[in-house]
Amino acid sequence: MNFPIKSLTVGALFLTCAATVLAEDKKLDLDECIAIALSDNPTIKIADREVDRVDYSKKEIIGQLLPTIDFGATYNRMLAKQVMYMNMDGLGDFGGMGGGNNSGDNDEANTSRAGKGGDGGIKVGLDNSYSMGFNAALPLIAPQLWKSLSLSDSQILLSVEQAHNSRLEMVNQVKSAYYTLMLAEDSRRVIQESYDMAALNHEIYSKKFAAGAASDYDVLRTSVAMKNIEPELLQADVAIKQARLQLLILMGLDSSYDLRISGRLADYESTMYENTIAIDRDYSNNPQLRLNTIQSKILDQTVKVQKMAWSPTLALTANYNWTSMSNGSPFRNFRWNPYSTIGLSLSVPIFQGGNRWNRIKQAEIQAEEMTWQRENLERSVAMQVDLAVDNIGINVRQISSCSESVAQAERAHSIMEKSFEIGAATYLDLRDSELALTRARLAYFQAIYNYLVANSELELLLGNAPLDKYEKK
């Protein structure tokens, strides 16, 4: 009776394992890697949270324009009561209580009062005093706070722009890492083909030597040629591992993840001419220039905020309190009496040692410096864009030249193989053609890699990466 349930369980487990295997075997293209990096990389998450933090900072300023309500309570225990004297001249004996004209006629009376209450003063106050209540304040006129709101809006815009720039830089870094991994894998394929050819030649000569048709020197020479390639294979494996780890770090994935990429560098040759012709030199969306624009706006607003410190402020105040005073035990004889007040508090800044003036001058100097920085930044960006476009053009020509070189090297190697088979060429001639073909292929892939990296750098300079496309994946 339990057999169907067990069968279903085993079937579900099999489907789960199959789905896992298919997921692991799935290769990721460039867009998918970028999409993962934009969603999982900690740098992007930090930039997004910074936008939230600045938004809360603005809400904090808004809160300063709202009423503030506080509750407070105090308790005081009288240790030595205060003595009060009253000036009551012309009232007979009561005049001595004020410490007025203590002539010789009143010395006896004063001495009598001093014996009971000191020098005739009256002690006032009770042993315990309590106070508790609510205090409220509402700013009515606060020019500096009002101006700070517009400054907070610009700071939020700055944080948003910085988060946008972080995404642009992440796209550039992921592309560079992806292209590096493709270059490492393509280079390893080329080296592996060279190794396979050397191994095949060594096997052929070993068989000929066993049949007495080749010398021991020929066998040793082919063996040395094969083993000379083995270190290059190991270096290629290390390069692939390093490139894969770098890409995993950018994608925010664990190093144990079996990352596999799709495509090869040669796939980009078909579109390079079209992309090169469509290059736009407009750098108005350059990330650094956009940041500079917002920073200049913030500095101008900072100057205005500092100038608002000269403006008077007016606040509405109100309080409602209860007081109680008693003698003896602090836990008995409470007599609570409420009282309340409402009023206006005006503050007119007059002089603070020149602090406000110095802060204004500092902000003005920073705004002036930012203007000069923008002039220098525009010249620098324009120069970098020109150099990037020139590098792309050079790389395109180099790819075309290397492509022809690979075709010629393949043809030459094919001719040399046939010549070697009929005995018209020596092994050294064959080996030279193999090395020439390997170098031509490696140079071809390197040229494509340089072209792709230069395109990615230009995209970052222009700030025109299609972030929406990546985030929709």
Side-chain angles (χ1 to χ4, degrees), residues 19 31 52 70 82 85-86 104 120 224 279 291 314 328-329 344 373 392 398 422 443 447-448 459 467:
D31 291 346
D52 297 335
D70 300 318
Q82 185 178 5
Y85 300 92
M86 300 180 63
V224 170
I279 288 179
L291 281 178
L314 181 65
S329 173
L344 295 174
Q373 289 178 7
I392 291 174
Q398 187 175 1
I422 63 177
I448 296 179
E459 184 181 66
L467 297 179

Side-chain angles (χ1 to χ4, degrees), residues 85-110:
Y85 300 92
M86 300 180 63
N87 187 358
M88 302 175 64
D89 295 341
L91 297 179
D93 292 339
F94 292 100
M97 297 176 60
N101 295 328
N102 293 330
S103 60
D105 297 337
N106 295 329
D107 288 344
E108 184 177 353
N110 290 337

Side-chain angles (χ1 to χ4, degrees), residues 307-344:
K307 290 181 178 180
M308 289 296 103
W310 296 94
S311 304
T313 59
L314 181 65
L316 175 66
T317 61
N319 62 73
Y320 192 91
N321 295 292
W322 294 267
T323 61
S324 177
M325 301 180 69
S326 64
N327 280 323
S329 173
F331 304 105
R332 298 174 59 188
N333 303 322
F334 294 106
R335 293 177 296 181
W336 294 104
N337 299 293
Y339 75 94
S340 59
T341 62
I342 187 171
L344 295 174

Side-chain angles (χ1 to χ4, degrees), residues 176-203:
S176 298
Y178 194 91
Y179 297 148
T180 301
L181 181 56
M182 294 180 69
L183 175 63
E185 291 184 347
D186 285 344
S187 298
R188 204 225 182 260
R189 293 190 190 98
V190 172
I191 297 174
Q192 183 66 49
E193 291 177 2
S194 178
Y195 179 81
D196 293 341
M197 287 188 291
L200 179 61
N201 291 329
H202 175 66
E203 182 181 359

Side-chain angles (χ1 to χ4, degrees), residues 411-421 425 429-430 433:
R411 183 181 177 186
H413 179 66
S414 178
I415 294 174
M416 192 57 61
E417 280 185 327
K418 294 179 180 179
S419 300
F420 180 73
E421 290 175 358
D429 297 331
L430 178 63
S433 66

Side-chain angles (χ1 to χ4, degrees), residues 19-30:
T20 303
V21 172
L22 289 176
E24 291 178 352
D25 290 339
K26 182 180 184 300
K27 294 183 178 181
L28 299 179
D29 59 21
L30 178 58

